[in-house]
Amino acid sequence: MSWELFSIIGTIAFAVSGAIVAMEEDYDILGVYVLGLVTAFGGGVIRNLLIGKPIVLLWEQGIYFQIALFAMTLVFFMPVRYIKLWKTWEAFFDAIGLAAFSIQGATYATNMGHPLSAIIVAAVLTGIGGGIVRDVLAGRKPLVLKDEIYAVWGMLAGALVGLGWAQGTWQLAVLFALVVILRMFSVFYKWKLPKRSLRSSMVQTARRSDL
């Protein structure tokens, strides 16, 4: 199994996702590149900071940078109808990126001998960190924290790798498929974590006080 292929797909998916968000927010072409690169590589940078891997390793991903730049340039000049078509399949490619990057982050932390908690954090940050930074820079609430279940699947990948239940090639392949399937299920069936909103309660209280 070629993990490089999954990483390439994930890099393309995240870079294009950032580029589309930038265009939705009316950013210029520089903003498109910045937001796309942050989405594709931001999670890995944050992970390296937390687990002690050299930040300069980022610059050794030359081929991935080239792929991301090509994908962002292509989508910038792409007709709107094709962008809409991409967004139809965006969740699937994004799920591949989430699975590949979460397993990658968990594997890095495991190889460095970190405890289970650090492995889970490394998996989650690698999988969703770029998306969080993208939304913050775009002035949006991070979708990965309020949309369908997303970060939980990265935590699951980190936990299974950290507990030693997914170490061999085939075990990691099964875990990869599991994360992709669960993410797509959460999109299709609109699975969400429980939440409590104080906004509606405060609005109702304010209205009653006005009366």
Side-chain angles (χ1 to χ4, degrees):
M1 183 184 60
S2 176
W3 288 105
E4 288 77 12
L5 176 61
F6 294 132
S7 295
I8 288 173
I9 294 174
T11 299
I12 292 173
F14 286 178
V16 170
S17 171
I20 291 176
V21 168
M23 289 187 288
E24 290 174 343
E25 297 295 331
D26 296 328
Y27 286 17
D28 60 20
I29 190 170
L30 177 60
V32 169
Y33 285 132
V34 170
L35 223 57
L37 290 175
V38 163
T39 308
F41 301 102
V45 171
I46 297 172
R47 175 205 65 214
N48 288 354
L49 279 171
L50 289 179
I51 68 174
K53 288 185 70 70
I55 301 300
V56 294
L57 291 177
L58 174 68
W59 309 117
E60 298 179 3
Q61 305 186 62
I63 184 63
Y64 294 104
F65 272 112
Q66 295 171 23
I67 291 171
L69 289 172
F70 176 78
M72 289 183 292
T73 303
L74 185 64
V75 77
F76 184 81
F77 293 103
M78 188 179 292
V80 174
R81 64 179 182 274
Y82 293 119
I83 294 178
K84 291 180 179 178
L85 179 63
W86 166 270
K87 288 183 73 68
T88 302
W89 290 91
E90 181 181 17
F92 176 68
F93 293 117
D94 185 77
I96 292 177
L98 172 67
F101 289 165
S102 296
I103 292 174
Q104 179 195 75
T107 302
Y108 282 169
T110 300
N111 292 338
M112 295 182 68
H114 287 298
L116 178 61
S117 57
I119 294 172
I120 294 175
V121 170
V124 173
L125 288 179
T126 309
I128 75 170
I132 292 177
V133 177
R134 173 202 65 201
D135 291 338
V136 170
L137 291 178
R140 299 181 173 186
K141 294 180 179 180
L143 294 177
V144 299
L145 300 180
K146 70 182 186 70
D147 207 357
E148 296 90 4
I149 296 177
Y150 191 91
V152 171
W153 307 133
M155 295 173 64
L156 175 64
L160 294 180
V161 172
L163 291 171
W165 295 351
Q167 293 181 334
T169 300
W170 287 108
Q171 292 174 327
L172 292 176
V174 171
L175 177 58
F176 175 87
L178 178 64
V179 172
V180 172
I181 292 171
L182 289 174
R183 170 57 185 158
M184 294 310 298
F185 276 177
S186 65
V187 171
F188 185 79
Y189 292 109
K190 303 296 182 182
W191 291 347
K192 296 180 183 293
L193 293 173
K195 68 177 181 179
R196 180 185 180 189
S197 176
L198 296 179
R199 179 179 301 175
S200 58
S201 299
M202 294 175 68
V203 170
Q204 291 177 359
T205 303
R207 287 177 178 175
R208 290 172 183 171
S209 61
D210 291 339
L211 296 176

